Amino acid sequence: MKRTILISLCLIAGMLWAGNSIFSYDGFPIQYYGLDIYSMGMGNTGTSDIFRFNSGYGNPAQFNRSNKTIFGTGMILGYTRYKSEYQNQERTFRDNSLDFPYFSISVPVKQHRFGFQFNSFATGLVENQIILPDSTLERQDTDKYIYRADLLYSYNYRNLSLGISGNYYFGHDNRSFEQFAPHATVPTTESIKRDFKNPTFTIGAIQSINNHAVGLHATMPVTLKGESIRRSFHTSEDSQDYEYKLPIMVTVSYTGYLNKQIKMASDISYQRYSDISDDMRDSWKAGIGFAYEPETERQKYWWAKIPLRVGYSYRTLPFETGGDYIEENTLTAGLSLNLKSEINSLDFAFQYQTRGSLENNALTENAYMMLIGFTGFDIISRAIDRTAPRDIPKAEELKQW
């Protein structure tokens, strides 16, 4: 019961916070790819990593070679440092972030696996204010989030796993603007509230050969539909139909052991935004990571038994800011702490990320994030304790005649 309450709180919290970015005014700058914390600490790779208890299901064909129920969740917290250039003057600001990127559970039934995943797909949250030379105060903010809920099914035949998931997207894009001028008796306020939703699906496959695996999965394009309402200090307009389109996304991945203790993973994801708008370019992300998975029985010292990993990823964003497109670079490192049960573990990672540049975008940001993941903690397969105190009759003593 306590674990159910904890999971519910995580889901609620995930709907309250979002990743922060100064580029949120122009699009959705932060995106997750259905990875767990372990993978995020390994260069944002691992959609074909079947050699561990993987709780990320961006590829619905994801499975594990042991017949275990797998539960996973995590959190991302830290701060982002913004820098801007306006009227030949540089300004800086530090903002805090807290995000719950995913919750997942996967249950095996013989060669089949059924699962559910709720995760953040794309986020953007920022607010700022500026005082103009005439003492006018301008304040604006944006709060945007796209969530994704997946129902998963995969079938494993020998070394091949095939999977499909139904994906339901829903989210909002809210913006507001306020202006307070010393010479004006009434402030200027405007806001736009948009919400949208719609389903699509993802298909995937993972083929393994000994200690190597390659994966491929694709999420079909979808048009999210909803409504938009504009309000000002004086009026509230009637709601209008609103659409937000997501393009097809294709990911190719590889995971394999270079030797008994060193694992490598690489993912490449591609999104065709040019089909949606002439003002956007195709977006892609490439990452590579390495993990040290020690053979604990051969290690003498405790610190040599800790799994470690590092990685790097590069991503191009589909929209422009300051007249140029935005690029993103991410360095990651992580470690795992295995608990008493084979399946239970705590994953920790650190992420340093840069996005944009003053030269090209007149804006830039550096993010320092701590990632904490929980894997295992089986809430299904544990048997219910049905024992209760009871009286056991004593054996009757039979007398000999």
Side-chain angles (χ1 to χ4, degrees), residues 30 82 91 103 120 137 143 161-162 221 243 250 281 283 287 303 316 323 335 337 382:
I30 300 173
Y82 308 135
R91 294 178 172 86
F103 159 78
S120 307
L137 174 66
D143 173 6
S161 177
L162 302 175
E243 292 184 351
V250 179
R281 67 171 175 177
S283 173
W303 46 265
T316 61
L335 60 88
L337 297 179
R382 177 174 295 179

Side-chain angles (χ1 to χ4, degrees), residues 48 205-208 212-216 253-255:
S48 60
I206 298 176
Q207 175 71 58
S208 63
H212 302 272
V214 292
L216 173 67
S253 59
Y254 163 79
T255 306

Side-chain angles (χ1 to χ4, degrees), residues 13-80:
M15 297 182 182
L16 296 179
W17 285 287
N20 293 10
S21 173
I22 194 65
F23 296 100
S24 301
Y25 294 114
D26 298 309
F28 286 86
I30 300 173
Q31 182 171 330
Y32 300 107
Y33 292 83
L35 302 171
D36 61 1
I37 297 299
Y38 181 109
S39 294
M40 293 182 193
M42 194 177 168
N44 290 294
T45 64
T47 54
S48 60
D49 190 354
I50 61 172
F51 307 109
R52 63 180 179 88
F53 296 109
N54 194 335
S55 57
Y57 300 98
N59 187 340
Q62 181 62 248
F63 70 98
N64 182 267
R65 290 178 172 178
S66 63
N67 193 32
K68 298 284 187 179
T69 295
I70 303 173
F71 158 71
T73 188
M75 65 178 68
I76 301 175
L77 63 160
Y79 66 88
T80 304

Side-chain angles (χ1 to χ4, degrees), residues 211-269:
N211 290 328
H212 302 272
V214 292
L216 173 67
H217 67 278
T219 301
M220 298 300 107
V222 60
T223 299
L224 308 183
K225 297 184 178 181
E227 63 179 17
S228 174
I229 300 176
R230 180 186 295 271
R231 292 187 175 93
S232 68
F233 186 83
H234 303 283
T235 62
S236 177
E237 300 178 1
D238 294 335
S239 63
Q240 304 290 327
D241 292 338
Y242 178 76
E243 292 184 351
Y244 185 83
K245 296 182 178 180
L246 293 173
I248 187 172
M249 181 171 69
V250 179
T251 300
V252 180
S253 59
Y254 163 79
T255 306
Y257 278 90
L258 304 182
N259 58 42
K260 291 183 178 181
Q261 298 186 109
I262 303 298
K263 180 173 62 177
M264 186 188 82
S266 179
D267 287 24
I268 299 177
S269 297

Side-chain angles (χ1 to χ4, degrees), residues 267-374:
D267 287 24
I268 299 177
S269 297
Y270 174 76
Q271 294 171 279
R272 194 173 174 82
Y273 278 97
S274 59
D275 289 342
I276 293 176
S277 172
D278 294 335
D279 297 329
M280 304 179 78
R281 67 171 175 177
D282 295 342
S283 173
W284 61 277
K285 178 187 72 71
I288 187 171
F290 297 89
Y292 166 66
E293 299 287 351
E295 295 180 290
T296 55
E297 65 278 0
R298 293 189 176 185
Q299 304 300 329
K300 181 178 179 181
Y301 302 102
W302 65 268
W303 46 265
K305 299 179 181 181
I306 299 177
L308 304 173
R309 49 198 170 271
V310 295
Y312 166 78
S313 66
Y314 172 81
R315 174 175 167 238
T316 61
L317 277 67
F319 55 89
E320 294 182 357
T321 294
D324 204 349
Y325 289 105
I326 306 160
E327 297 180 350
E328 174 187 284
N329 293 274
T330 306
L331 291 172
T332 66
L335 60 88
S336 296
L337 297 179
N338 296 323
L339 304 181
K340 291 182 179 180
S341 173
E342 175 193 11
I343 192 174
N344 294 351
S345 68
L346 293 175
D347 297 316
F348 298 91
F350 175 78
Q351 175 179 286
Y352 172 69
Q353 188 174 77
T354 65
R355 192 178 288 121
S357 67
L358 289 179
E359 293 78 12
N360 298 329
N361 311 112
L363 294 172
T364 185
E365 63 185 20
N366 301 323
Y368 305 84
M369 296 295 166
M370 171 64 77
L371 294 74
I372 305 173
F374 310 89

Side-chain angles (χ1 to χ4, degrees), residues 28 121-122 145-148 167-172 195-200 220-227 241-247:
F28 286 86
F121 176 75
Y145 219 125
I146 299 179
Y147 309 95
R148 172 171 156 168
N167 321 123
Y168 188 77
Y169 292 95
F170 61 100
H172 61 262
D195 62 81
F196 35 78
K197 56 189 176 183
N198 243 345
T200 185
M220 298 300 107
V222 60
T223 299
L224 308 183
K225 297 184 178 181
E227 63 179 17
D241 292 338
Y242 178 76
E243 292 184 351
Y244 185 83
K245 296 182 178 180
L246 293 173

